[in-house]
């Protein structure tokens, strides 16, 4: 009887440790924005998620993979005039807001790409940090690439920055998929 009890205890311990070490499953987070608007963010499996509001009242979501190969920050702002919903409006906003990335980049210009989200409209640029090109080991917290952009829909915009050390990793693709297929406003039921 004792060997059976010991075997069950070992098996139970193994299953508990396996469950504890498993990646956190994909989940949906909801953020309450201005004017009682609710935005849904589908957090990829294993990603770490946090959100908060700064002193100006801007809501920001932050995501990273467990090994911090990528970090994604998304801030939500009103687009009361609907200017950012147009391609020109997004590009003009990005030219003003993200100019600081251009000077230190390999690209030395903004190369606009359409996000093509499931909901709304979006535009982004990828910048490569010229000071980090060719380095085999990057300083902690520094990333080779910065993908910056905007996703807009019906009076709201999400301004994002995705930091990575390349644009082909599984983590990078998961973050871009999140931006394309998630980060949308759930319709509220009529009362």
């Amino acid at each position: 009887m004792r060997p059976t009890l010991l075997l069950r205890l070992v098996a139970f311990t193994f299953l508990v440790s396996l469950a504890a070490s498993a990646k956190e499953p994909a989940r949906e987070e909801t953020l309450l924005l201005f004017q009682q608007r609710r935005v849904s963010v589908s957090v990829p499996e294993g990603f770490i998620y946090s959100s908060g509001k700064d002193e100006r009242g801007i809501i920001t979501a932050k995501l990273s993979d467990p090994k911090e190969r990528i970090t994604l920050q998304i801030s939500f702002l009103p687009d009361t005039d609907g200017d950012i919903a147009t391609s020109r409006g997004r590009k003009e906003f990005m030219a003003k807001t993200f100019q600081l990335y251009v000077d230190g980049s390999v690209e030395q210009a903004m190369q606009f790409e359409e996000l093509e989200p499931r909901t709304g409209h979006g535009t982004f640029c990828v910048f490569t940090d010229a000071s980090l090109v060719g380095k085999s080991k990057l300083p902690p917290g520094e990333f080779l690439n910065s993908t910056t952009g905007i996703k807009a829909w019906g009076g709201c915009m999400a301004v994002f920055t995705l930091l990575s050390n390349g644009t082909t990793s599984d983590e990078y693709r998961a973050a871009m998929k999140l931006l394309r297929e998630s980060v949308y406003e759930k319709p509220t039921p009529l009362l």
Side-chain angles (χ1 to χ4, degrees):
M1 295 273 275
R2 286 196 171 207
T4 305
L5 182 60
L6 182 60
L7 184 57
R8 285 184 185 168
L9 184 59
V10 169
F12 176 76
T13 304
F14 173 76
L15 290 174
V16 168
S17 67
L18 184 62
S21 67
K23 288 182 180 178
E24 189 173 322
R27 68 187 188 284
E28 189 170 301
E29 294 286 344
T30 301
L31 295 164
L32 181 61
L33 305 182
F34 46 89
Q35 300 170 343
Q36 300 302 310
R37 298 177 80 159
R38 295 180 188 279
V39 171
S40 178
V41 177
S42 296
V43 179
E45 182 178 331
F47 274 50
I48 300 161
Y49 169 87
S50 66
S51 66
K53 183 190 295 189
D54 71 9
E55 64 280 351
R56 299 169 294 169
I58 296 173
I59 304 291
T60 300
K62 296 180 183 179
L63 296 99
S64 66
D65 67 292
K67 294 186 179 180
E68 295 185 350
R69 291 184 191 113
I70 63 100
T71 63
L72 173 61
Q73 180 171 309
I74 310 166
S75 296
F76 298 91
L77 302 164
D79 179 25
T80 51
D81 298 331
D83 295 337
I84 306 302
T86 69
S87 178
R88 180 181 178 146
R90 286 189 303 279
K91 290 174 184 172
E92 288 175 355
F93 181 88
M94 289 173 65
K96 291 177 195 169
T97 307
F98 303 131
Q99 185 61 40
L100 65 123
Y101 291 107
V102 174
D103 297 336
S105 74
V106 170
E107 295 80 9
Q108 290 294 296
M110 290 189 184
Q111 298 168 1
F112 298 107
E113 295 182 51
E114 288 304 304
L115 184 63
E116 298 177 0
R118 189 178 283 176
T119 303
H121 307 281
T123 306
F124 68 95
C125 294
V126 178
F127 300 101
T128 306
D129 189 331
S131 69
L132 299 176
V133 171
K135 291 189 176 181
S136 58
K137 187 171 181 173
L138 300 179
E142 293 198 32
F143 295 89
L144 182 63
N145 302 106
S146 176
T147 302
T148 58
I150 302 171
K151 181 175 179 177
W153 66 93
C156 189
M157 68 172 147
V159 180
F160 63 86
T161 301
L162 171 57
L163 301 175
S164 63
N165 290 318
T167 58
T168 59
S169 71
D170 290 342
E171 295 84 5
Y172 182 87
R173 285 195 298 267
M176 290 301 288
K177 181 178 179 181
L178 175 151
L179 291 165
R180 287 185 177 103
E181 297 180 6
S182 174
V183 186
Y184 67 96
E185 193 167 359
K186 286 189 159 188
T188 54
L190 298 174
L191 299 174

